[in-house]
């Protein structure tokens, strides 16, 4: 039974869209509260990371579990607890989600090559019961990364070639 008028449906769709930005807000607020500072949506870096923490040389991606196929094996593409692949038009969804997963992997590989660390935060890790634990764990990881990069000399600093340095400079000028 579908009693929604067109107007109501539009309102619902708008609500869903704005809700989609919520996970990012949770991470932003949580990290800010813990003393971390960041830039948003870095357009010049591969994958346009949601948050960029230069001091930690870290990009953070906040991923929706469905679109990015959380816990879905790229080979079998079976549904997971997080990502139920629709049975209608399954081939279409499988191809779409697989492409997203491949793109995510490729972008993070490029970032790593440029000397960036990447942290992926999944939407499911931000539900109220897990939220604080997840944010604490991101903070812990960031501090760990900083110590690795600046503390222990024996840990080699990620290699950055000249080209990506220029790339980064260009990105910095844009900020
Ligand atoms: Zn998930």
């Amino acid at each position: 039974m579908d009693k929604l008028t067109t107007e109501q449906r539009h309102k619902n769709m708008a609500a869903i869209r704005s809700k989609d930005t919520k996970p990012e807000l949770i991470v932003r607020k949580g990290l800010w509260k813990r003393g971390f500072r960041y830039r948003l949506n870095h357009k010049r870096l591969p994958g346009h990371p949601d948050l960029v923490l230069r001091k930690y040389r870290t990009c953070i991606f906040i991923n929706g579990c469905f679109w990015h196929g959380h816990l879905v094996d790229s080979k079998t593409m079976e549904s997971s607890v997080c990502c139920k692949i629709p049975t209608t038009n399954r081939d279409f969804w499988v191809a779409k989600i697989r492409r997203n997963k491949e793109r995510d992997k490729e972008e993070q590989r490029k970032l790593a090559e440029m000397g960036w660390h990447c942290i992926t935060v999944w939407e499911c890790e931000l539900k109220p019961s897990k939220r604080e634990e997840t944010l604490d764990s991101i903070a812990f990881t960031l501090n760990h990364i900083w110590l690795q990069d600046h503390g222990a000399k024996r840990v080699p600093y990620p290699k950055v070639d000249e080209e990506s340095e220029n790339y980064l400079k260009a990105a910095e000028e844009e900020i």
Side-chain angles (χ1 to χ4, degrees):
M1 217 162 30
D2 190 354
K3 286 181 181 168
L4 291 182
T5 63
T6 310
E7 195 195 343
Q8 276 171 327
R9 209 188 313 277
H10 282 163
K11 274 186 191 159
N12 284 359
M13 294 300 281
I16 289 165
R17 264 198 300 278
S18 63
K19 220 177 92 193
D20 283 345
T21 62
K22 215 179 150 213
E24 192 189 320
L25 269 181
I26 294 166
V27 176
R28 276 159 61 176
K29 282 189 184 155
L31 289 183
W32 188 271
K33 205 176 81 184
R34 286 165 177 78
F36 294 95
R37 298 297 176 257
Y38 45 74
R39 305 214 179 251
L40 302 177
N41 302 102
H42 214 304
K43 296 275 186 287
R44 302 283 292 267
L45 288 175
H48 306 165
D50 296 304
L51 306 184
V52 174
L53 294 94
R54 284 194 61 84
K55 184 179 159 191
Y56 298 84
R57 228 174 152 68
T58 296
C59 296
I60 299 185
F61 292 90
I62 298 134
N63 283 356
C65 292
F66 176 72
W67 291 106
H68 296 264
H70 192 204
L71 301 175
V72 171
D73 183 288
S74 310
K75 285 202 183 86
T76 64
M77 290 301 289
E78 297 286 343
S79 288
S80 72
V81 279
C82 278
C83 172
K84 300 260 178 275
I85 298 176
T87 44
T88 313
N89 289 327
R90 187 171 194 277
D91 290 351
F92 167 82
W93 291 107
V94 161
K96 189 161 190 65
I97 292 166
R98 180 179 273 146
R99 239 187 347 263
N100 288 346
K101 281 168 78 71
E102 279 165 4
R103 195 186 300 126
D104 291 344
K105 216 167 127 188
E106 177 60 15
E107 282 157 354
Q108 299 209 0
R109 192 192 58 75
K110 281 189 198 150
L111 284 164
E113 249 178 37
M114 293 163 70
W116 289 89
H117 305 273
C118 291
I119 297 177
T120 299
V121 186
W122 294 96
E123 195 183 355
C124 63
E125 299 170 324
L126 296 170
K127 55 186 179 194
S129 59
K130 285 194 177 176
R131 193 172 293 172
E132 290 305 304
E133 192 189 326
T134 299
L135 292 165
D136 283 345
S137 130
I138 301 169
F140 179 87
T141 304
L142 287 168
N143 287 325
H144 185 76
I145 285 170
W146 195 90
L147 280 175
Q148 272 206 338
D149 283 359
H150 298 87
K153 285 277 184 284
R154 66 182 182 280
V155 179
Y157 196 76
K159 193 176 156 283
V160 180
D161 62 35
E162 208 182 320
E163 203 185 327
S164 20
E165 274 292 15
N166 291 337
Y167 191 68
L168 285 177
K169 270 181 210 137
E172 213 170 27
E173 278 156 20
E174 211 201 26
I175 290 169

